Amino acid sequence: MPDRRRWFALAIVMTAAFMDLVDVTIVNIAIPSIQREAGASFSQIQWITAGYALAFAAGLVTGGRLGDIHGRKRLFLVGIGGFTLASALCGFAANPEMLVASRILQGAMAALMVPQVLSIVHATFPAHERGKVFGLFGAIVGLGAVSGPLLGALLTEWNLFGLEWRPIFLINLPVGIAGLILGHCYITESKAPRALKLDLVGVALVTLGLLMLLYPLTRGRELGWPLWGYVSMAGALVVFGALVAYEKRKTRIDGSPLVELSLFKVKSFAAGIAVQTVFGVGLGIFFLVWTLYMQSGLGWSPLKAGLTGVPFSIAVSVAAGMSVQKLTPRFGRKVLQAGALVMGLGVLLYIWESGRYGMAIASWQMALPLVVMGAGMGLIVAPLTDAVLSEVPREHAGSASGLINTVQQMGNALGLGLVSVVFFGAMGDRLAPAEVGPAFVDAFQHALGWVAALMGLIFVVMFALPGRAAAVAGGPEEAVEDEQEKVLVR
């Protein structure tokens, strides 16, 4: 008989998932306030967001495997406890350096917490109830996308107790503490019968390679692009080469590599990973420069900027629902490619409006390009995982799904790192007060030009995806695993 406490357990893990989803979007809207109040430099602003994404990406697969080995409940409690502690450190950060370090810790703890969420659901609920549960998760994802920016805007605008931006992190404390206590009482422990071994060397190589690539990108402009930066970025390629060699050896020794390299022999999977990575880069660039453009460039309040983004979030949710239920089953890959073109069209429309209206642009004038962009994004994000997994052997479906999530987060971190080049690099170093606004407008258009080019690249690469995305072979159990991963693709 199913455990009667399972619905309490579901509420707890859904709250934790919601907290993580909101935390990603809530920070973006407060970035200009953090810059002003904490005195953060442009590179530190990038690392406040990129550090979280990098730590989250590097630990996702390992976090899932730790849960399989040591127990999903145990790792969930460790993750939510650590996430809550990291949120407190972010809220009480004495300087930008402490905030960056705390955000990296927060991302690492999210990597322990998030993979357990749907694993707990899978272990707790019988198969006939999971469809209802995954529907609830879809609603939570949509709610998090809409409420995160608004909640961040309100908390920043209200300046509670004179704490400026800090409540956006401190709000996690009561939620996290309640989740820790209730999770201990109501979540049932579960483990995988045959869990894969850890690949900590693989995690270390991935993290090192990304750091060697991202750090010079974020600091290079401020430091005048020193020689060591180019050496570090070239060295990153060597580290990634070492990762491939080590993963091949790990596969031969115990069959539990961090990255299942044989998956890349499947053309649709390799193309899908490329799409996810490039898409993550584009989103990383857009969301940060969009926030800076509205608040630092146009001088808008956090609340006005947050409300401006509501049409975008609604368009994403509506288009995602339509693409999965009606469009993709009928038109297949063409829906994804249409999404790339529509999103690119929205970006170009945004560039045109920004150039035409300049500093006088109104919030309502941004609604059209944002709705077009959101519709395009919704057509891509929902069916993409199915398309990528459609030709993957069922025994590798779990590894493939985890890798899809990981590379999207890595792409996001890389996009945030590239902001130094495509946005801040388009502005002069010494600007008079009257020049700041127009400089931000010009830099915003320049950065969006890169995003539009990335959408064009995605459109071309999508030709390697299958025309119709069939379910991963292997029956209902594998279909459930596939659906689990798809829900948390962000």
Side-chain angles (χ1 to χ4, degrees):
M1 292 291 293
D3 191 337
R4 292 181 179 180
R5 301 179 302 171
R6 67 192 185 282
W7 295 106
F8 290 103
L10 176 65
I12 294 161
V13 297
M14 284 178 71
T15 301
F18 180 77
M19 183 171 65
D20 169 63
L21 286 165
V22 167
D23 203 76
V24 174
T25 54
I26 201 173
V27 172
N28 279 338
I29 207 72
I31 283 292
S33 300
I34 294 172
Q35 182 186 14
R36 289 191 301 268
E37 197 271 337
S41 66
F42 287 140
S43 64
Q44 287 168 334
I45 285 173
Q46 291 172 264
W47 275 105
I48 289 168
T49 48
Y52 182 98
L54 176 60
F56 185 81
L60 258 179
V61 175
T62 298
R65 290 187 186 175
L66 283 170
D68 291 342
I69 296 169
H70 299 292
R72 283 84 177 242
K73 174 181 176 179
R74 179 181 299 177
L75 264 292
F76 175 80
L77 295 178
V78 170
I80 195 171
F83 190 89
T84 305
L85 174 61
S87 297
L89 294 174
C90 289
F92 295 114
N95 50 53
E97 292 80 9
M98 181 178 173
L99 180 56
V100 170
S102 301
R103 282 286 287 170
I104 292 172
L105 176 63
Q106 200 179 33
M109 292 299 104
L112 295 181
M113 177 179 70
V114 171
Q116 318 312 325
V117 170
L118 291 174
S119 294
I120 289 171
V121 170
H122 182 258
T124 305
F125 284 83
H128 68 275
E129 290 183 338
R130 290 178 197 148
K132 184 192 301 183
V133 171
F134 292 140
L136 289 172
F137 264 111
I140 286 292
V141 170
L143 183 62
V146 175
S147 61
L150 283 178
L151 185 59
L154 289 172
L155 290 174
T156 305
E157 190 90 356
W158 288 339
N159 190 19
L160 299 174
F161 309 108
L163 292 174
E164 300 283 345
W165 49 269
R166 298 175 188 274
I168 68 171
F169 297 110
L170 299 178
I171 196 174
N172 289 335
L173 270 60
V175 179
I177 292 171
L180 189 62
I181 296 171
L182 295 174
H184 178 75
C185 298
Y186 290 104
I187 296 175
T188 302
E189 184 62 279
S190 64
K191 298 180 181 180
R194 291 181 298 169
L196 292 173
K197 296 180 181 179
L198 296 179
D199 184 7
L200 297 179
V201 174
V203 173
L205 289 172
V206 167
T207 307
L208 177 61
L210 285 171
L211 282 173
M212 291 174 67
L213 182 63
L214 291 176
Y215 188 76
L217 283 175
T218 54
R219 294 298 312 279
R221 176 179 169 274
E222 292 182 13
L223 301 176
W225 298 107
L227 178 61
W228 64 261
Y230 294 102
V231 173
S232 177
M233 288 188 283
L237 300 178
V238 177
V239 172
F240 289 132
L243 172 67
V244 172
Y246 177 79
E247 293 301 286
K248 288 181 179 178
R249 181 173 177 270
K250 180 77 170 169
T251 302
R252 291 195 303 269
I253 294 174
D254 58 20
S256 58
L258 179 70
V259 180
E260 183 60 56
L261 296 176
S262 64
L263 290 171
F264 290 92
K265 296 178 181 178
V266 180
K267 185 179 74 168
S268 62
F269 179 80
I273 287 295
V275 170
Q276 284 281 17
T277 304
V278 177
F279 193 54
V281 171
L283 296 183
I285 292 173
F286 173 73
F287 285 115
L288 181 55
V289 303
W290 183 35
T291 299
L292 293 171
Y293 162 66
M294 289 189 291
Q295 294 187 55
S296 300
L298 300 177
W300 291 1
S301 68
L303 182 58
K304 185 176 181 179
L307 290 172
T308 301
V310 170
F312 178 87
S313 300
I314 294 174
V316 172
S317 299
V318 172
M322 289 181 59
S323 66
V324 170
Q325 297 173 15
K326 299 182 181 296
L327 300 177
T328 307
R330 182 175 180 183
F331 299 106
R333 181 186 67 207
K334 294 177 182 177
V335 176
L336 293 163
Q337 292 184 296
L341 292 179
V342 170
M343 190 169 179
L345 175 63
V347 172
L348 294 175
L349 185 59
Y350 212 160
I351 293 173
W352 176 79
E353 284 202 354
S354 176
R356 179 181 179 184
Y357 299 109
M359 297 289 294
I361 192 170
S363 181
W364 65 268
Q365 290 170 324
M366 294 186 184
L368 177 60
L370 288 175
V371 167
V372 175
M373 286 182 64
M377 181 175 170
L379 293 176
I380 296 172
V381 293
L384 180 57
T385 302
D386 279 344
V388 178
L389 291 176
S390 61
E391 297 178 354
V392 171
R394 70 176 186 180
E395 65 269 20
H396 294 312
S399 299
S401 299
L403 189 56
I404 289 169
N405 286 337
T406 299
V407 298
Q408 185 177 0
Q409 293 299 320
M410 289 181 176
N412 188 258
L414 180 58
L416 291 163
L418 284 169
V419 168
S420 275
V421 178
V422 303
F423 183 72
F424 296 125
M427 293 191 291
D429 292 327
R430 301 177 186 275
L431 297 173
E435 297 174 325
V436 172
F440 269 82
V441 172
D442 291 342
F444 177 68
Q445 295 172 34
H446 183 263
L448 256 60
W450 282 80
V451 176
L454 292 174
M455 291 304 109
L457 176 60
I458 287 172
F459 172 79
V460 174
V461 177
M462 281 179 177
F463 278 106
L465 296 176
R468 288 283 190 275
V472 178
E477 193 72 13
E478 283 72 31
V480 167
E481 294 289 343
D482 179 22
E483 191 68 22
Q484 286 181 3
E485 297 293 344
K486 182 174 66 179
V487 171
L488 280 187
V489 170
R490 297 190 290 174

